[in-house]
C-alpha cells in the first residue's frame, strides 16, 4: 500500500492537501510539474520538487529584461501583471510584483481574474489604459487563447509579452493561435530547439513520438519524465521500497546534467527544503508559428523580436 501511495502521490496534482497527507503518512512525494514557491517553504521532510518554481522562472524574466535593455539599448519602465486566480496565478503575480520593485520597474496594473472566464474584455481594456512596456500574464491554456483573441478584437498591441509558461507552452495554444500569438515570450524549463546542444534530447524525443502519435516532447512531459526518473533512481539506490530508505536516497540525489534532457540545468540535487538546486530557466519566443529559445543569449537559437508587430502590420 505504501509503494502504491508513493507512486500515486507522484502522479497526483500537487495540492496542499495531498502533500500534507504524504507528510503525515511518511511517504516520499516527488513533484515534477507544480511551480508554486510555497510548496517548498513549509518545512516538509517528505516533499521533493525536481522542477523550477515561479521564483526561478520570474527571476529569468526580469534578468532577460535587464540584459535585453543593455543588448538593444532600450529601456523598460513599467510592467502590467495579469493572472488567473488559482494558486498558480496568485503566487506568480506575487513573485512578479516583488521582483518588479526589486528591479526598479513600476507595476502600472495588477489584474487578477477568474480562471476559465468567458470574457477578458474588461481586463484587456485596463491593459490598454495602463500601456505598460511589458505585460506579464500567468494563464492556463483557455485563458491564454482568450487573451490573444481579445487583444486582436480590441486592437490591443503590447510591445512585449513575457508569459509564465502554463497555457503558453501547451501545444494546443500554439496550434490554435499560431501566428496570431507571434512575438509572445514564455519561460520554460525545456526546449526542443536545444537538441543540437543536448544530444540526449533527440534520442528521448524519438521514443516519445512513437508513444504520442508523432507529437514532439514538450515542457510538461519533459518535466514529468525528469521527476519520474529521479524517483526511480532513488528507489534503485535505496535498494528497497521502504519509504525511509527512499527518502534518504532522495536527499542524497546527485544526477549530473549529461543524464538529463533539461538544458541548461546543472543537475538534480535537493537542498534542505526539498527543492532541486540545479534548475535553470530559459525564455522562448513564438516566431513563425513555433517557439525558439532567445535567452540566455548564449543558448539562443533566434534573436528576440521586439517590439511585437501591431495587429495592423501582421499579414
Amino acid at each position: 500500500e505504501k509503494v502504491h501511495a508513493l507512486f500515486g502521490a507522484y502522479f497526483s496534482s500537487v495540492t496542499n492537501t495531498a502533500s500534507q497527507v504524504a507528510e503525515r503518512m511518511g511517504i516520499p512525494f516527488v513533484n515534477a510539474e507544480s511551480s508554486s514557491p510555497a510548496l517548498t517553504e513549509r518545512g516538509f521532510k517528505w516533499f521533493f520538487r525536481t522542477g523550477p518554481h515561479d521564483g526561478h522562472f520570474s527571476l529569468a524574466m526580469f534578468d532577460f529584461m535587464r540584459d535585453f535593455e543593455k543588448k538593444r539599448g532600450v529601456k523598460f519602465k513599467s510592467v502590467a501583471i495579469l493572472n488567473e486566480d488559482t494558486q498558480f496565478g496568485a503566487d506568480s503575480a506575487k513573485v512578479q510584483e516583488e521582483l518588479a520593485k526589486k528591479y526598479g520597474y513600476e507595476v502600472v496594473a495588477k489584474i487578477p481574474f477568474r480562471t476559465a472566464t468567458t470574457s477578458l474584455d474588461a481586463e484587456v481594456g485596463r491593459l490598454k489604459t495602463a500601456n505598460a512596456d511589458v505585460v506579464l500574464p500567468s494563464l492556463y491554456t483557455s485563458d491564454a487563447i482568450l487573451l490573444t483573441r481579445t487583444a486582436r478584437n480590441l486592437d490591443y498591441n503590447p510591445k512585449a509579452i513575457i508569459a509564465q509558461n502554463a497555457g503558453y507552452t501547451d501545444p494546443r495554444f500554439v496550434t490554435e493561435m499560431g501566428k496570431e500569438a507571434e512575438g509572445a515570450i514564455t519561460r520554460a524549463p525545456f526546449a526542443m530547439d536545444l537538441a543540437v546542444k543536448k544530444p540526449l534530447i533527440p534520442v528521448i524525443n524519438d521514443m516519445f513520438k512513437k508513444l504520442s502519435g508523432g507529437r514532439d516532447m514538450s515542457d510538461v512531459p519533459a518535466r514529468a519524465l525528469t521527476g519520474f526518473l529521479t524517483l526511480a533512481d532513488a528507489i534503485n539506490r535505496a535498494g528497497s521500497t521502504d519509504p525511509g530508505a527512499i527518502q534518504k536516497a532522495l536527499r542524497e540525489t546527485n544526477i549530473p546534467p549529461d543524464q538529463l534532457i533539461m538544458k541548461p540545468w546543472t543537475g538534480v540535487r535537493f537542498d534542505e527544503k526539498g527543492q532541486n538546486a540545479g534548475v535553470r530557466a530559459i525564455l522562448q519566443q513564438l516566431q513563425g508559428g513555433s517557439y525558439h529559445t532567445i535567452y540566455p543569449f548564449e543558448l539562443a537559437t533566434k534573436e528576440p523580436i521586439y517590439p511585437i508587430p501591431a495587429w495592423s502590420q501582421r499579414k
Side-chain angles (χ1 to χ4, degrees), residues 37 54 58 81 87-97 137-138 164:
D54 292 334
S58 296
I81 298 171
Q87 185 175 6
F88 157 66
D91 284 352
S92 172
K94 180 176 182 292
V95 170
Q96 289 176 337
E97 185 174 26
S138 299
Q164 192 72 276

Side-chain angles (χ1 to χ4, degrees), residues 7-313:
F7 280 91
Y10 168 73
F11 284 113
S12 296
S13 298
V14 175
T15 64
N16 285 330
T17 301
S19 55
Q20 287 167 4
V21 169
E23 188 74 11
R24 287 196 298 268
M25 294 179 65
I27 298 174
F29 190 151
V30 177
N31 171 258
E33 299 90 354
S34 299
S35 60
S36 169
L39 291 171
T40 45
E41 296 297 323
R42 301 165 299 173
F44 284 3
K45 304 301 182 185
W46 295 85
F47 183 84
F48 299 86
R49 173 166 47 198
T50 52
H53 59 60
D54 292 334
H56 298 119
F57 286 127
S58 296
L59 188 62
M61 295 177 184
F62 284 88
D63 283 347
F64 165 75
M65 291 163 60
R66 177 200 61 201
D67 293 346
F68 187 72
E69 287 176 332
K70 298 175 183 177
K71 183 180 178 69
R72 289 285 184 90
V74 301
K75 178 59 182 174
F76 300 126
K77 297 181 179 179
S78 60
V79 301
I81 298 171
L82 177 72
N83 65 283
E84 55 82 45
D85 65 352
T86 69
Q87 185 175 6
F88 157 66
D91 284 352
S92 172
K94 180 176 182 292
V95 170
Q96 289 176 337
E97 185 174 26
E98 293 170 351
L99 286 172
K101 294 177 181 178
K102 177 180 177 181
Y103 279 70
Y105 299 115
E106 181 185 2
V107 180
V108 293
K110 186 179 179 183
I111 309 172
F113 67 91
R114 186 172 296 280
T115 188
T117 185
T118 57
S119 173
L120 285 173
D121 287 7
E123 289 78 5
V124 170
R126 290 178 61 187
L127 288 173
K128 288 187 70 173
T129 300
N131 193 31
D133 294 322
V134 179
V135 178
L136 303 172
S138 299
L139 315 175
Y140 288 116
T141 306
S142 61
D143 298 325
I145 291 172
L146 181 60
L147 174 63
T148 305
R149 289 174 175 166
T150 305
R152 178 195 61 199
N153 294 340
L154 299 183
D155 195 32
Y156 171 51
N157 297 285
K159 294 179 181 178
I161 296 174
I162 306 179
Q164 192 72 276
N165 189 265
Y168 280 83
T169 55
D170 185 335
R172 185 165 69 89
F173 172 76
V174 179
T175 300
E176 291 196 26
M177 292 294 94
K179 292 185 177 180
E180 289 191 20
E182 185 81 0
I185 297 171
T186 180
R187 53 83 160 172
F190 172 81
M192 274 299 301
D193 69 345
L194 293 182
V196 293
K197 300 180 181 181
K198 191 76 171 180
L200 193 57
I201 291 178
V203 175
I204 300 300
N205 189 57
D206 286 345
M207 299 179 187
F208 181 79
K209 289 176 74 171
K210 292 177 182 178
L211 299 173
S212 65
R215 182 165 59 88
D216 282 324
M217 180 167 280
S218 57
D219 170 19
V220 175
R223 280 193 273 179
L225 174 66
T226 302
F228 182 82
L229 292 179
T230 298
L231 177 58
D233 170 73
I235 293 174
N236 286 342
R237 285 185 290 105
S240 169
T241 56
D242 175 69
I246 297 171
Q247 178 201 43
K248 181 176 183 295
L250 284 166
R251 288 175 176 167
E252 296 171 350
T253 294
N254 188 10
I255 301 175
D258 62 357
Q259 294 181 22
L260 302 175
I261 62 171
M262 314 301 270
K263 188 174 182 66
W265 290 20
T266 61
V268 177
R269 56 191 183 281
F270 297 108
D271 62 20
E272 69 281 357
K273 296 179 179 180
Q275 171 64 48
N276 177 17
V279 297
R280 297 292 184 274
I282 59 175
L283 297 184
Q284 297 180 291
Q285 187 175 46
L286 194 60
Q287 299 185 18
S290 61
Y291 276 112
H292 301 274
T293 300
I294 61 168
Y295 187 79
F297 295 135
E298 65 269 19
L299 296 178
T301 59
K302 292 277 189 178
E303 283 292 317
I305 294 174
Y306 175 83
I308 297 174
W311 293 107
S312 61
Q313 299 172 341

